[in-house]
Amino acid sequence: GTEGSADGVGDAAQFEYPAALAISPDGSTLSVYADGRLRQVCVAAPPPPPSFAPLVVPPSTFSADMGKMWGDATLPEGKVTFLVGDHLERYEHVSKNMLCVRSPVFRTMFGIGMKERDAAEVTVSHTDLASFTALVRYLLTDQFDLGEEEGRAQRALDLRELAQMYQVPRLELLCAQALQESVGPASAVPLLEAAHTMGDGRLLA
């Protein structure tokens, strides 16, 4: 604070040439002996942690999405096989039109004029087969399943990243909700890293 002689909170306190310091047992007050006088500095409280709106998962849009397939001539016909991950593992016979009404990214991918529209196979290199299977299963059945408890947090993180990539906001929220429920010693570091990388403090709320 500014040189002088006055009690205060944080840097509002003033003293010159302190000769001795003592802090209260609860850490709230610093006593400073300076220039023959004893001054008290009330330690400023740290700012409160940021608050985030609670996670609210909206109702399913599955029925409404399925209804979009009726009478839409712009939707592609047929099925596609995905070659997933570094090892090009096969995920076969997926209906293109169902993917399109559930994800705007798939709608663009299989849109008129795109090479994938009539392709029998499409390569997906940014994920693994288990995570991509969970994404497609959700899109086609509305079922959210992370499998066994062990490794659940990491699977939720991987699936949430895919949900963001394919613009499926409800699935993204379901994954975030599962992450909140799985916070523990083993998942704390991955959650911190994910919250920082994704810029979403709700993961730690």
Side-chain angles (χ1 to χ4, degrees), residues 95-139:
S95 296
K96 293 179 181 179
N97 55 4
M98 292 185 70
L99 294 176
C100 289
V101 297
R102 295 283 279 161
S103 162
V105 174
F106 280 123
R107 179 79 186 224
T108 299
M109 179 186 296
F110 296 119
I112 296 175
M114 303 298 288
K115 64 179 181 179
E116 292 88 353
R117 184 177 179 88
D118 298 316
E121 296 182 346
V122 172
T123 300
V124 180
S125 58
H126 49 259
T127 186
D128 59 86
L129 183 61
S131 299
F132 192 74
T133 297
L135 169 69
V136 174
R137 180 180 294 121
Y138 174 81
L139 294 177

Side-chain angles (χ1 to χ4, degrees), residues 34-105:
D35 196 25
R37 299 179 181 180
L38 186 65
R39 288 298 174 202
Q40 289 188 336
V41 181
C42 296
V43 179
S51 59
F52 301 96
L55 288 172
V56 178
V57 179
S60 170
T61 61
F62 184 75
S63 295
D65 291 339
M66 292 299 100
K68 296 175 184 177
M69 291 192 296
W70 295 97
D72 188 345
T74 67
L75 289 173
E77 297 182 359
K79 297 182 179 182
V80 63
T81 291
F82 291 101
L83 307 179
V84 183
D86 295 336
H87 301 292
L88 300 181
E89 297 179 88
R90 300 177 69 85
Y91 191 94
E92 299 183 320
H93 310 311
V94 184
S95 296
K96 293 179 181 179
N97 55 4
M98 292 185 70
L99 294 176
C100 289
V101 297
R102 295 283 279 161
S103 162
V105 174

